[in-house]
Amino acid sequence: MSVPLENPIVVLMLCATLSRNRIAANANQDLLDMKGLAKEHKTAVLMQCATDAKGSYNCTCKPGYYGDGNICRSALTCKEIFDRNVSKKSGEVTLLLDSKPISVFCHLGDFGCGDGGWTPVMKINSNKSTIHYDSQFWRNRSSCILPGGKTGFDFQETKLPTYWDTSFSNICLGMKIGNQLRFIVINKHAHSLHSLITDRKKRTTSLGRKKWKTLIGSQASLQPRCNMEGFNAVGEKLHQSQARVGITANQQNDCSSCDFRIGFGTGGQHDDSNTGGNEATRQPDNGDKHIKAMGVHPGAVTRDTAKFQTLKLKTSRIRTMSRRSQVYPLMFGSQKISVYCHMGNFGCGGGGWTLAMKIDGAKRTFHYNSHFWRNRNTYNLAGGMTGFDLQQTKLPTYWNTPFSKICLGMKIGHQLRFIVINRHANSLYSLIADGKYRATSLGRNTWKWLIGSQASLQPYCNREGFNSVGGSDSLASKARIGINANQQHHCDSCDSRIGFGTGGWYDDSNTCGNEASRSADNGNKHIKAMGYILVQ
């Protein structure tokens, strides 16, 4: 039986309460006091201001934005639109997605997935191969047909930046077959759908086969066994039934040859062209089915990494101010803290760099074993208001700021050198606090660049990254961020390192810099440096 498609599959996301608001201080993200600036410059992109009889300026946020008249912000999710009473009516709004304003259709209220604001992610037309199981769109960070994100549960396919840029706690899945539109909800916390799907690893859910069948209705059909459900649900054999989000089943007591599925981003036996709906053959519980649906995918967002949209004025003064390295007040949670922001290319590339830590390698404050790597406590906030000097500091940036790049600098005498790690993470804390080793691939020569011509490392092992430990002994050379090396062809007894938050052989008191002994390539070294860690 083939059911004609009248409307496509949609993927949306329910946005949950924002837990922390952060401001990245760079050329594209400035928090400005709009009242004071409007008085001088008369206009702001997100505000509308008027002068009263006494000459005072009173400002309100333009429709679709929220704030108190001093600061106006663009929402990141439809949940934020709903919770802040920007609107209670479903319709087109502008969200800040992947640092860009994008118009999307927000579904507000309970249409079948629970009350709140639901942010669109994808709409999948199962008659088309655009978002087939094997499509590149499940693996990449590219959008597809953005105009489709501005409409409701219609025929237009779309993939929005919310697929990789939005964290959530609930996912709403919907299928439309004819005039029938049904929804189910997966309660799942994740950084993004991309993080659940792109690596092709199976991640199970526990809705049960009956729940998945409600998407199709009375015509739903599944084989009785296997019932592999979740993300990247696929059998063991090539060309078997598969689903990026869904359930696969079999008539046999294993999952090696599944012939059935209900899901989104599907493919495989027996109709590989059905990319979203219900496929069932070989003794399913309700007969053979070839039902193609229009899929809806809404999900719930708990956004830890909210970014405020820049409030740009048409003045060269503001543009100049935002590109000058100096102290800026940044918001960390509800706390305003003054931080020295480094603007422009000082050695790590252009843009605005937010300071996280400064480490004096001659002091034990940030030794590898220090509790500061594992907790959410600050240290010497005053040190965060100065540049590349000798003051140590640890700022809330360490646990409160997401990034895509880390800038590492070492100062030895008057020499100051930098390297960059390209890495996406919710925070430095998320990479380091649990003590798990996470590899990087800069190479030993890049790490040696931090030290300069005096740099020295043993030739082997070269274990680099976060929480790099060069052996099982408690005194082994180690670095919270850095590289360990050995003179032997293994990593069990490393005697040399370059890094930040270091310790172990041979000088345990050297907490940032270069330690090298036993056949190192440039002789024995005991170089203590002043280290700087910034993020962007």
Side-chain angles (χ1 to χ4, degrees), residues 31-32 67-68 114 135 137 167 192 226 246 282 312 315 326 353 388 409 420 448 488 511-512:
L31 180 62
L32 305 178
D68 58 5
S135 169
F137 286 117
S167 56
S192 65
C226 176
R282 296 184 180 178
K312 296 181 179 177
T315 68
Q326 64 181 49
W353 291 89
F388 298 127
V420 174
K448 291 176 72 175
Q488 297 170 313
T511 60
C512 182

Side-chain angles (χ1 to χ4, degrees), residues 248-260:
T248 60
N250 198 4
Q251 83 274 25
Q252 298 171 320
N253 291 319
D254 59 57
C255 294
S256 62
S257 56
C258 294
D259 303 298
F260 152 85

Side-chain angles (χ1 to χ4, degrees), residues 179-195:
N179 293 320
Q180 168 193 289
L181 181 58
R182 294 170 178 260
F183 298 93
I184 62 174
V185 175
I186 298 175
N187 296 310
K188 181 84 173 181
H189 286 266
H191 296 311
S192 65
L193 278 172
H194 180 272
S195 70

Side-chain angles (χ1 to χ4, degrees), residues 137-171:
F137 286 117
W138 294 106
R139 303 187 299 274
N140 65 24
R141 295 172 183 262
S142 300
S143 57
C144 169
I145 318 174
L146 288 177
K150 296 190 285 186
T151 56
F153 301 134
D154 60 7
F155 296 91
Q156 297 189 66
E157 289 191 298
T158 192
K159 175 193 169 189
L160 300 175
T162 40
Y163 178 72
W164 66 86
D165 190 59
T166 304
S167 56
F168 55 84
S169 58
N170 292 299
I171 306 170

Side-chain angles (χ1 to χ4, degrees), residues 463-483:
R463 175 179 288 165
E464 62 167 287
F466 304 90
N467 299 316
S468 172
V469 178
S472 56
D473 191 289
S474 61
L475 297 178
S477 184
K478 51 183 76 80
R480 288 297 183 177
I481 308 175
I483 184 171

Side-chain angles (χ1 to χ4, degrees), residues 65-205:
Y65 303 95
Y66 70 89
D68 58 5
N70 292 312
I71 299 169
C72 292
R73 298 164 185 161
S74 176
L76 296 165
T77 63
C78 297
K79 173 66 172 173
E80 194 174 355
I81 293 284
F82 183 86
D83 286 350
R84 295 184 180 276
N85 290 312
V86 177
S87 176
K88 294 293 185 183
K89 182 180 179 181
S90 297
E92 184 180 338
V93 301
T94 300
L95 301 182
L96 190 63
L97 301 175
D98 202 18
S99 301
K100 301 174 184 177
I102 294 179
S103 295
V104 304
F105 190 96
C106 280
H107 296 265
L108 306 180
D110 188 359
F111 53 86
C113 286
D115 201 16
W118 294 85
T119 307
V121 179
M122 301 175 78
K123 296 193 294 187
I124 305 170
N125 187 334
S126 59
N127 276 318
K128 299 181 179 180
S129 61
T130 314
I131 311 182
H132 182 277
Y133 182 91
D134 293 325
S135 169
Q136 61 179 332
F137 286 117
W138 294 106
R139 303 187 299 274
N140 65 24
R141 295 172 183 262
S142 300
S143 57
C144 169
I145 318 174
L146 288 177
K150 296 190 285 186
T151 56
F153 301 134
D154 60 7
F155 296 91
Q156 297 189 66
E157 289 191 298
T158 192
K159 175 193 169 189
L160 300 175
T162 40
Y163 178 72
W164 66 86
D165 190 59
T166 304
S167 56
F168 55 84
S169 58
N170 292 299
I171 306 170
C172 173
L173 303 172
M175 286 190 180
K176 190 170 187 179
I177 303 167
N179 293 320
Q180 168 193 289
L181 181 58
R182 294 170 178 260
F183 298 93
I184 62 174
V185 175
I186 298 175
N187 296 310
K188 181 84 173 181
H189 286 266
H191 296 311
S192 65
L193 278 172
H194 180 272
S195 70
L196 292 177
I197 294 173
T198 188
D199 60 6
R200 299 195 177 201
K201 291 182 179 179
K202 295 176 186 176
R203 294 177 172 89
T204 60
T205 57

